[in-house]
Amino acid sequence: MKRQILLIDPLSKLVPKKDSSLMFALSLKRRGYDVSLIFEDDFFIVNNEIPQMRVYDFEGNFKEDGCYIEDFKLTTERFWDADSKSVLHMRLDPPFDGRYLRFLWMQRYLKHIGVEVLNDPDGVLLFNEKLYAYEHESSLETYVGSSKEGFINFVTKMKDKGHTELILKPLDLYQGIGVEKVSLNDDFKSIFLRKVSQYNGPVVAQPFAKEVTKGEVRSLYFKGKELGSILKVPKEGEFLANIAQGATYDTYKLSEYQRKSCEEICSKLSEYGVDWVAFDILGDSISEVNITCPGLLVEVSKAYGRNLSFDIIDLL
């Protein structure tokens, strides 16, 4: 049985009671795995030898529902030999910036000395979570760039199709950060240029999908198998289906078309070692293919009334 190491953000940045990585770590421990946590300050590589990194043991308990975490704390420290007897789970949150790239490059070296890395850094490097979704035939009409002329041409086409509002968002952030709804009666050109300046480059523009008021689907997959799906419904008057901001959620049954789309994407990503995938779906359109640090495992588990981490462990 391989040793399991989870590379995660500092506990101070997480919300432990509903963090997918901590839930997964606790579940691995309950299944009898040798599992530890490592933080970026302790993560390094050296060539011509097996790196020995400081890792942290932990303990914790689930609430009665078996999904949300009652308590969690670090315990003892020890050293991990990064070798072929290990699996490293990359669970650092985006943004996908220079820092994130450096960690992926370092993990490629660990692969070279035999460590199995999930999701594979090569796959994560290749597929942008938003752009890859836009390749699919069901995707919403989308503009990505910093060209004012290109953006205005896109807006003109959207107006001709009867759209009155746009969504503008950064290409590399997460959890709804930077997402803005813009009326085409406003000064949308100035708002676009402000976004370009704020995020130092290309931004995403899409017609506002009114389906979001009825809810956005989050569907979790591992090794091509659906773990579970939920429909997240925004608060009254809101357009972001963010559970942390008050969206409600319940189990959801994918349509045949939605399921086929997810399975096709999973099949392609599996060729690059990307096994843990979380889809965001509006209507029949896949809006995002989350592969950096797929989340909401706790919430989807809660909706189904069982800890879905054990399904992932069974498929490992």
Side-chain angles (χ1 to χ4, degrees):
M1 188 181 289
K2 288 189 175 183
R3 187 171 182 185
Q4 310 288 315
I5 307 294
L6 278 70
L7 173 59
I8 68 170
D9 290 291
L11 294 183
S12 60
K13 287 182 62 177
L14 306 179
V15 182
K17 70 176 183 180
K18 64 186 187 98
D19 186 78
S20 297
S21 300
L22 300 185
M23 179 193 201
F24 183 54
L26 277 174
S27 302
L28 282 165
K29 190 171 185 178
R30 294 208 171 181
R31 276 287 177 89
Y33 280 85
D34 182 358
V35 54
S36 301
L37 305 178
I38 187 169
F39 303 100
E40 57 184 272
D41 287 347
D42 296 294
F43 188 81
F44 65 90
I45 60 171
V46 288
N47 68 340
N48 300 323
E49 62 180 86
I50 299 298
Q52 289 188 321
M53 302 181 221
R54 187 184 307 276
V55 297
Y56 300 84
D57 294 327
F58 56 88
E59 60 185 37
N61 296 286
F62 289 107
K63 292 181 180 289
E64 289 184 5
D65 59 17
C67 304
Y68 281 88
I69 296 173
E70 180 74 50
D71 56 80
F72 189 95
K73 67 177 181 179
L74 302 180
T75 55
T76 56
E77 302 176 8
R78 51 179 165 151
F79 285 91
W80 163 48
D81 292 335
D83 58 20
S84 60
K85 298 176 183 178
S86 305
V87 179
L88 176 70
H89 298 269
M90 170 55 160
R91 298 294 301 170
L92 291 178
D93 277 329
F96 196 105
D97 52 11
R99 160 188 166 268
Y100 210 90
L101 275 171
R102 290 191 289 271
F103 279 106
L104 293 177
W105 289 329
M106 292 163 72
Q107 288 163 39
R108 291 192 81 247
Y109 182 80
L110 291 186
K111 281 179 56 185
H112 167 72
I113 59 175
V115 178
E116 182 180 357
V117 184
L118 294 175
N119 282 326
D120 191 297
D122 289 345
V124 177
L125 281 164
L126 278 174
F127 297 98
N128 176 276
E129 296 182 314
K130 293 181 176 67
L131 284 176
Y132 187 50
Y134 305 157
E135 293 181 21
H136 199 269
E137 62 182 4
S138 71
S139 177
L140 295 170
E141 293 175 285
T142 304
Y143 168 88
V144 181
S146 53
S147 163
K148 180 179 176 181
E149 180 181 3
F151 173 69
I152 291 172
N153 288 339
F154 176 78
V155 170
T156 300
K157 292 176 183 176
M158 295 302 100
K159 283 184 173 180
D160 290 344
K161 293 184 177 184
H163 296 292
T164 59
E165 294 175 305
L166 289 180
I167 291 292
L168 297 180
K169 55 188 175 183
L171 190 58
D172 54 0
L173 293 183
Y174 62 110
Q175 292 182 351
I177 298 172
V179 178
E180 187 172 352
K181 185 168 70 168
V182 178
S183 169
L184 296 185
N185 293 321
D186 294 337
D187 186 5
F188 57 84
K189 287 177 281 190
S190 295
I191 297 172
F192 168 76
L193 293 174
R194 171 172 55 78
K195 286 279 187 191
V196 169
S197 175
Q198 181 180 1
Y199 295 109
N200 196 31
V203 297
V204 177
Q206 295 173 321
F208 174 64
K210 292 183 172 61
E211 297 95 327
V212 74
T213 59
K214 298 178 181 177
E216 178 186 57
V217 175
R218 166 58 63 95
S219 187
L220 298 181
Y221 274 75
F222 191 79
K223 289 189 178 290
K225 305 291 185 183
E226 183 192 2
L227 302 174
S229 302
I230 57 173
L231 181 69
K232 303 177 292 166
V233 180
K235 286 173 60 177
E236 186 73 28
E238 301 286 339
F239 70 94
L240 285 177
N242 191 314
I243 294 172
Q245 296 179 19
T248 58
Y249 64 93
D250 204 350
T251 56
Y252 178 84
K253 183 176 180 181
L254 295 177
S255 70
E256 201 57 40
Y257 182 79
Q258 291 169 331
R259 186 182 307 281
K260 183 173 181 290
S261 298
C262 293
E263 289 176 353
E264 286 175 354
I265 291 173
C266 283
S267 177
K268 178 68 174 178
L269 291 174
S270 69
E271 298 174 16
Y272 297 88
V274 176
D275 291 326
W276 193 336
V277 186
F279 294 95
D280 290 330
I281 307 170
L282 284 173
D284 279 333
S285 299
I286 294 177
S287 59
E288 197 152 330
V289 182
N290 300 279
I291 60 175
T292 50
C293 186
L296 297 190
L297 180 63
V298 174
E299 291 84 351
V300 179
S301 294
K302 174 68 174 178
Y304 280 78
R306 62 189 183 88
N307 185 338
L308 297 173
S309 295
F310 296 120
D311 294 38
I312 296 175
I313 295 168
D314 290 340
L315 292 166
L316 277 174

